[in-house]
Every structure is written in structure tokens, then in C-alpha cells.
């Protein structure tokens, strides 16, 4: 079974073959980043789940180790599902994960510790005999009770969350412990929302009000806000809120202005799921990892011999407005930049598309600043759209229909004659008393292939337009385009499978289909090198 390479990524995290899903238990230990992830050792579809294990010095070059956690005990014989790592005050890591105990997917929470904590590779993990740490009590839906978080500590008591649901109410159950071994359920869940269904992979962490630095998960006090993120099985999207964590009552209150659940804030308006953050004490960052599944058919996955990638890790911090998070690819990614081309003061009149030549457009990093003389030509924002998802507005307006201020942006993974292209673009609208900026990553024109999922992903960008500029960075990598609008205010990931626009037949353009002339003030594009990607550690 040869792995077919056409749509494999060049610099995104992938094992050499087989199915992957959620990132698990990311942690930094003795100079190495560890990434575990849900992995099927036997094939390119979901099943036989173990925790595969990779290590890196820079979050970009990865070496692989043997799976760290795999079914071996009565309490995880049917699968080792997602979970998190906690670094204890003595510096040693502990992993919490969900064990599947029977064919009905009954779920239980377990822990594992390093067999030898002086090994920076943390090669071998043991599951002590006092497992499991948490059983589903009779009030809990035992087949929807999983994905423990990193633990945090308040007044000497540890806490974790476990994702769940009761009928269609999504729930983050709270458990407490004094000794990290005996865990008891708090009377109230930390938070729950009616009608949102199963909360997978909850994540709960503090963000600083005064700095872009990340914080250890246990940091509290008056200089922080808290973020609660859940992955909604019903929509297959993730939502987060920013709010106040009352440490005394052990309750979380999302800010009133924010929508809780569907239609809430998103890390990413595209293909991004089961994400998890961790605190990196070596650089004081909080880093976010997310998984992107395939958007082609299961049969294609089998033919390819692989399915799923981890997206480029992102630094996350609180926007000074306090209303959203900001995200940016970790700076280490820039080590892969090689050949660079630039555009400067390139005017784009209506209908123009200008090629960015001289880089490997199928494997590139592009960073561009657009400017425009005024906002006068912004199209009116139809009040009916306020009720729609941004995606539906993108579906109606697209990249081809002429606009006023926009659509303008990039045509990524484009064939020379534009039979195929994935446009990533802005369209600016004028609502009653404000401008609305839409960022789209529209896969509908991405491929002539059949049987593909090609959605027009989109999100609004809450950005100040007084300087009449919009920036866009896109990470293009064969079958993935990760785009960061306005400095990471709105992020969208698309998976696409061009047939013509592959390898050196892929092109990159800037374009404008709006009546207002737009200027590419500066554009930098780089060919991206291939990092060490999951080559086994030499023993
Ligand atoms: C999310 C998820 C988790 C579960 C894991 C199983 O993608 O369904 O809830 O622990 O994947 O692989």
C-alpha cells in the first residue's frame, strides 16, 4: 500500500501514513515539545485509536516515537481517546485521557505517568493500578463523558473539566482533587448550554489583560480573563467565549455581549476541530493546536493511505478590546521560509489579477497589505444578512461577482488559466452605522475533482478601517490553505484538492473584482522548505 503523495502537505504535521485526529496532551518538557495525537495504526479511517507521539525542539521539525498510550488494561481496552497533560509543581507531567471500556463506548477517565521522568523523550508511560480516576456516576451519560482538560489549581485544590451532554444540553463537568488521585464531582458543572449537544474537547485557560504573554493554566486573579472553548459534535465547529471565572463559586460567566454556543466566536471559521492549548514556559506563550480532517471521500482517504493533518501551531492572546482572541502562526515557522518575492505599490483596478511569480506556489507563505483610497464604494449590507452565517453571505457574493470595495485578495492554488483556484478575499460592506468586513476562503472553485466537500467558509472581521488597510497572511500547503485576516482577528482554514493546480502547476495571484481600485502596498511571498516530518528518533 503505497502512499499517494499529490495532496500530502509539505510542512504541516503528518505521520507517514494512516488516520489521525485530535491533538492530545501537548506539553513542553526538558527542552522538547511533545505532541500526542489520536491515531489509527492500522489504516486511513478512524478506529483502533492510540496516542501516537512526536517530539520537536521548535514545533516545526518533528521526530516520531512509538505510541505512548494504547489499549492494554480493562479500563482502556476499547480505545485511548482524547485528553490532556498537566505539569505538576514538581515539574513532572501527568496525562489524563478517556478510556473506552466496552463495545458500547462506555467512557472512563484514566491517568498515565512517565516510566522514567529523567528521559526528555518521555518514551514510556505507565498506567498506575489505582486507575481509573473518574467513573461516570449514574447521573452521567456514560457514552458521552470524555476528553479531560489540563488540570488547574485554586487554593490547593486541583480541578479538571470533562466534556459531556445531558439530552441536548452541552456540559463541562467539573471535578476536584486535593492529591491529584481522588477526584470528586462538583455539585455544579463549570458551565452548560441548552441545545448545543455534546461538548467534545473542552479547553479552559486564563489570558492576560495586560500582556500578549501566555499564562500557566493555574494563574488567576484580577489581571486575567478566562476562555472556555468547546468542540460541538453537532456542527463539527468549535466555539469559545471569554468570561469571568469565579474561583470561590467555581463557576464561569461568559461575557454578556458574547454568544454562547452556536454562532459564537470561533478560533477558525473553516476546517478546524478538537483543538487544545498549552502553556509553553520556555517562551511564555499559550499555543493552540487544531486538527483539520479531509474534505474528500473516505474512499479517497483509503486510496491516499492517510487522512488528517495538524494545523500550524498558533500563539493565542487576548485582543486589547477584550472582545476576542488573536492568533498568529508560531514564529518558528518562519525558519522554513526560503526564496522570497515581493510586490510593492501594485495597483489592482477592477478585474485585475496579477501573478506572484517565482515561488513554489503549492507550498508557500504569503503576507500582504492591501490599501484603498476610501470606503465610499463599500456595498450596502443587507440587514437580512445579519441573521445569516457569514458563510451564507460568502456563498451569495463569492469572489467573482463584481463588488464595490472588494472582493479583493489572493487566488491560491490556482491553475494557470484559472480552471481551479481557492480565493481568499475581503469584501467590505456598509451597514447602518458601521462597516462590515467579510473574509472568505471559498473552496467552491478549488477543484475540478468530484466527490469533494467544497464549502465557501467565511467569517466577519472586527477591524478598525480608519487607516484604510487590510492585511492577510495565507499558509498554502498543497491541500490546505490557512488564512489569517487582519493580524489574526479572523482565521479560516480550507482543505482543497486541485487536479490541475498541483506542484509546479500551482500559481498564486492577487486579484480585485471591486469597482474601487485597491493597492497591494507590500506583498511578501516565500517558498517553504520541508521540515523533518516524523522521522523516527534514532535510539
Ligand atoms: C473529537 C473526538 C473526541 C474523542 C476522540 C476520539 O474529535 O470525538 O471527543 O475523544 O475524538 O478519537
Amino acid at each position: 500500500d503505497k502512499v499517494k503523495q499529490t495532496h500530502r502537505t509539505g510542512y504541516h504535521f503528518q505521520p507517514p501514513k494512516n488516520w489521525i485526529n485530535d491533538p492530545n496532551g501537548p506539553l513542553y518538557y526538558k527542552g522538547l515539545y511533545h505532541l500526542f495525537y489520536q491515531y489509527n495504526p492500522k489504516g486511513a479511517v478512524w478506529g483502533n485509536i492510540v496516542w501516537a507521539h512526536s517530539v520537536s525542539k521548535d514545533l516545526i521539525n518533528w521526530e516520531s516515537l512509538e505510541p505512548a498510550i494504547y489499549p492494554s488494561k480493562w479500563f482502556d481496552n476499547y480505545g485511548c481517546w482524547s485528553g490532556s497533560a498537566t505539569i505538576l509543581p514538581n515539574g513532572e507531567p501527568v496525562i489524563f485521557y478517556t478510556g473506552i471500556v466496552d463495545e458500547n463506548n462506555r467512557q472512563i477517565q484514566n491517568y498515565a505517568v512517565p516510566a522514567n521522568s529523567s528521559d526528555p523523550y518521555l518514551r514510556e508511560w505507565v498506567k498506575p493500578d489505582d486507575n481509573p480516576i473518574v467513573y461516570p456516576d449514574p447521573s452521567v451519560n456514560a457514552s458521552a463523558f470524555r476528553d479531560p482538560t489540563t488540570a488547574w489549581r485554586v487554593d490547593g485544590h486541583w480541578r479538571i473539566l470533562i466534556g459531556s451532554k445531558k439530552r441536548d444540553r452541552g456540559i463541562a463537568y467539573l471535578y476536584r482533587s486535593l492529591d491529584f488521585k481522588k477526584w470528586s464531582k462538583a455539585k455544579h458543572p463549570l458551565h452548560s448550554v441548552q441545545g448545543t449537544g455534546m461538548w467534545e474537547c473542552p479547553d479552559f485557560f486564563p489570558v492576560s489583560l495586560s500582556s500578549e504573554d501566555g499564562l500557566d493554566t493555574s494563574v488567576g486573579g484580577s489581571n486575567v480573563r478566562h476562555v472556555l472553548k468547546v468542540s460541538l459534535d453537532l456542527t463539527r465547529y468549535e466555539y469559545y467565549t471569554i468570561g469571568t471565572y469565579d474561583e470561590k463559586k467555581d463557576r464561569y460567566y461568559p461575557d454578556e455581549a458574547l454568544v454562547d454556543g452556536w454562532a459564537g466566536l470561533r478560533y477558525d471559521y473553516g476546517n478546524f476541530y478538537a483543538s487544545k492549548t498549552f502553556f509553553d514556559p520556555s517562551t511564555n506563550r499559550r499555543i493552540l493546536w487544531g486538527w483539520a480532517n479531509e474534505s474528500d471521500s473516505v474512499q479517497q482517504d483509503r486510496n491516499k493511505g492517510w487522512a488528517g493533518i495538524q494545523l500550524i501551531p498558533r500563539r493565542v492572546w487576548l485582543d486589547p478590546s477584550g472582545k476576542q482572541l488573536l492568533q498568529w502562526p508560531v514564529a518558528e515557522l518562519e525558519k522554513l521560509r526560503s526564496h522570497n518575492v515581493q510586490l510593492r505599490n501594485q495597483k489592482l483596478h477592477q478585474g485585475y489579477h496579477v501573478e506572484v511569480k517565482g515561488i513554489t506556489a503549492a507550498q508557500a507563505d504569503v503576507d500582504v497589505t492591501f490599501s484603498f483610497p476610501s470606503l465610499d464604494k463599500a456595498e450596502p449590507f443587507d440587514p437580512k444578512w445579519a441573521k445569516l452565517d457569514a458563510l451564507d453571505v460568502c456563498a451569495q457574493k463569492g469572489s467573482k461577482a463584481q463588488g464595490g470595495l472588494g472582493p479583493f485578495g489572493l487566488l491560491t492554488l490556482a491553475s494557470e488559466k484559472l480552471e481551479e483556484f481557492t480565493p481568499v478575499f475581503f469584501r467590505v460592506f456598509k451597514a447602518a452605522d458601521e462597516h462590515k468586513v467579510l473574509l472568505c476562503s471559498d473552496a467552491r472553485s478549488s477543484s475540478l475533482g468530484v466527490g469533494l466537500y467544497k464549502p465557501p467558509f467565511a467569517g466577519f472581521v472586527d477591524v478598525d478601517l480608519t487607516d484604510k488597510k487590510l492585511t492577510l497572511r495565507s499558509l498554502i500547503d498543497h491541500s490546505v490553505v490557512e488564512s489569517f485576516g487582519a493580524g489574526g482577528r479572523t482565521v479560516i482554514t480550507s482543505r482543497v484538492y486541485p487536479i490541475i493546480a498541483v506542484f509546479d502547476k500551482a500559481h498564486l495571484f492577487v486579484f480585485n473584482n471591486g469597482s474601487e481600485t485597491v493597492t497591494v502596498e507590500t506583498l511578501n511571498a516565500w517558498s517553504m522548505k520541508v521540515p523533518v516530518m516524523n522521522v523516527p528518533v534514532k535510539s
Side-chain angles (χ1 to χ4, degrees):
D1 52 327
K2 265 241 176 64
V3 170
K4 207 171 139 207
Q5 299 292 330
T6 312
H7 295 116
R8 267 183 85 79
T9 56
Y11 59 95
H12 280 73
F13 183 101
Q14 285 191 287
K17 60 179 185 180
N18 294 339
W19 165 274
I20 75 170
N21 57 297
D22 317 359
N24 291 153
L27 67 94
Y28 179 84
Y29 188 68
K30 293 189 192 289
L32 290 175
Y33 294 97
H34 291 253
L35 181 67
F36 308 88
Y37 55 97
Q38 299 277 286
Y39 179 65
N40 180 356
K42 297 186 182 154
V45 295
W46 186 87
N48 315 304
I49 292 295
V50 304
W51 281 42
H53 184 192
S54 296
V55 292
S56 172
K57 291 198 169 85
D58 59 7
L59 294 163
I60 299 299
N61 292 280
W62 291 92
E63 294 181 296
S64 61
L65 294 155
E66 290 303 310
I69 299 177
Y70 43 87
S72 67
K73 303 267 183 182
W74 70 266
F75 50 75
D76 65 9
N77 248 332
Y78 290 77
C80 297
W81 288 13
S82 285
S84 307
T86 304
I87 307 287
L88 296 178
N90 69 5
E92 302 210 353
V94 178
I95 281 172
F96 290 152
Y97 70 99
T98 300
I100 306 299
V101 299
D102 63 22
E103 278 133 14
N104 302 323
N105 280 342
R106 198 182 138 82
Q107 295 156 24
I108 228 168
Q109 318 311 321
N110 307 316
Y111 79 109
V113 295
N116 171 11
S117 55
S118 66
D119 171 19
Y121 289 95
L122 299 172
R123 281 182 176 87
E124 203 188 319
W125 290 77
V126 292
K127 304 163 184 170
D129 286 336
D130 53 353
N131 268 302
I133 54 162
V134 174
Y135 287 88
D137 67 52
S139 76
V140 162
N141 180 343
S143 60
F145 183 61
R146 58 180 178 268
D147 307 340
T149 62
T150 294
W152 72 95
R153 192 156 71 152
V154 181
D155 292 338
H157 288 255
W158 291 97
R159 282 115 161 110
I160 54 170
L161 299 179
I162 299 171
S164 189
K165 68 171 174 185
K166 201 167 227 166
R167 283 177 290 277
D168 56 358
R169 172 177 286 274
I171 303 176
Y173 285 119
L174 180 70
Y175 283 76
R176 295 197 197 94
S177 173
L178 252 183
D179 60 4
F180 221 77
K181 290 192 170 339
K182 259 190 72 205
W183 291 85
S184 40
K185 190 162 151 222
K187 201 158 155 232
H188 297 283
L190 183 80
H191 193 52
S192 74
V193 179
Q194 180 55 42
T196 52
M198 176 63 191
W199 285 6
E200 297 187 315
C201 302
D203 194 21
F204 186 60
F205 58 89
V207 285
S208 170
L209 273 167
S210 58
S211 155
E212 292 185 5
D213 284 350
L215 299 170
D216 180 87
T217 311
S218 289
V219 172
S222 59
N223 192 36
V224 311
R225 312 293 335 272
H226 272 78
V227 175
L228 177 64
K229 182 279 299 184
V230 297
S231 307
L232 292 194
D233 191 29
L234 280 178
T235 60
R236 304 304 290 173
Y237 292 131
E238 299 195 313
Y239 301 87
Y240 73 86
T241 49
I242 299 165
T244 304
Y245 172 45
D246 182 333
E247 296 183 345
K248 292 264 138 49
K249 296 209 182 79
D250 243 335
R251 296 290 276 270
Y252 170 73
Y253 303 100
D255 290 355
E256 268 166 36
L258 299 179
V259 186
D260 204 6
W262 329 62
L265 289 170
R266 307 253 300 266
Y267 288 141
D268 192 302
Y269 290 81
N271 186 335
F272 186 92
Y273 198 71
S275 75
K276 187 175 296 300
T277 63
F278 74 105
F279 175 62
D280 170 13
S282 70
T283 59
N284 284 327
R285 293 176 293 187
R286 183 159 286 273
I287 294 170
L288 168 67
W289 275 103
W291 160 57
N293 67 356
E294 299 304 304
S295 298
D296 58 1
S297 64
V298 172
Q299 189 51 49
Q300 277 304 320
D301 292 349
R302 289 185 204 272
N303 295 346
K304 292 189 308 213
W306 60 273
I309 60 173
Q310 306 298 354
L311 296 169
I312 299 299
R314 305 169 181 177
R315 189 166 68 85
V316 283
W317 69 99
L318 184 66
D319 180 55
S321 74
K323 292 195 295 189
Q324 66 166 103
L325 298 175
L326 299 176
Q327 301 167 66
W328 201 245
V330 294
E332 290 90 331
L333 180 68
E334 295 164 26
K335 293 200 287 191
L336 297 180
R337 288 173 170 175
S338 58
H339 187 63
N340 167 247
V341 298
Q342 301 191 337
L343 295 181
R344 246 168 232 290
N345 289 318
Q346 168 74 55
K347 283 214 167 2
L348 297 174
H349 300 295
Q350 182 178 344
Y352 272 42
H353 63 276
V354 174
E355 182 162 6
V356 180
K357 286 191 181 138
I359 54 153
T360 56
Q363 191 174 311
D365 180 354
V366 195
D367 198 3
V368 52
T369 302
F370 297 99
S371 70
F372 31 89
S374 92
L375 296 164
D376 294 347
K377 292 190 181 153
E379 300 162 85
F381 186 79
D382 186 334
K384 284 198 294 264
W385 295 344
K387 290 202 191 70
L388 295 181
D389 196 308
L391 183 151
D392 300 309
V393 182
C394 177
Q396 280 184 34
K397 305 296 285 185
S399 64
K400 297 176 210 173
Q402 190 205 310
L405 184 49
F408 63 83
L410 300 170
L411 303 178
T412 70
L413 295 172
S415 59
E416 189 178 5
K417 298 198 178 111
L418 299 181
E419 299 94 337
E420 296 181 323
F421 58 98
T422 301
V424 183
F425 59 97
F426 294 107
R427 267 188 110 115
V428 182
F429 298 96
K430 177 135 185 49
D433 48 10
E434 56 167 353
H435 285 89
K436 290 229 176 236
V437 180
L438 185 70
L439 178 66
C440 300
S441 177
D442 188 352
R444 288 176 297 178
S445 50
S446 61
S447 176
L448 300 177
V450 293
L452 303 170
Y453 173 51
K454 299 189 289 183
F457 288 133
F460 289 106
V461 194
D462 187 3
V463 59
D464 182 0
L465 291 175
T466 38
D467 65 355
K468 303 191 195 71
K469 283 184 190 170
L470 281 167
T471 65
L472 177 63
R473 178 160 175 212
S474 289
L475 307 176
I476 303 161
D477 195 4
H478 300 275
S479 62
V480 61
V481 181
E482 275 188 85
S483 299
F484 297 76
R489 306 189 75 79
T490 299
V491 185
I492 311 179
T493 299
S494 295
R495 295 298 311 277
V496 294
Y497 306 87
I499 287 175
I500 308 172
V502 299
F503 301 116
D504 57 357
K505 299 283 184 298
H507 298 258
L508 174 69
F509 300 88
V510 283
F511 81 101
N512 176 25
N513 282 330
S515 57
E516 181 65 272
T517 296
V518 170
T519 302
V520 175
E521 280 206 352
T522 57
L523 176 146
N524 273 286
W526 292 268
S527 296
M528 292 295 271
K529 288 183 283 199
V530 173
V532 175
M533 188 50 70
N534 283 317
V535 173
V537 168
K538 284 186 217 81
S539 50

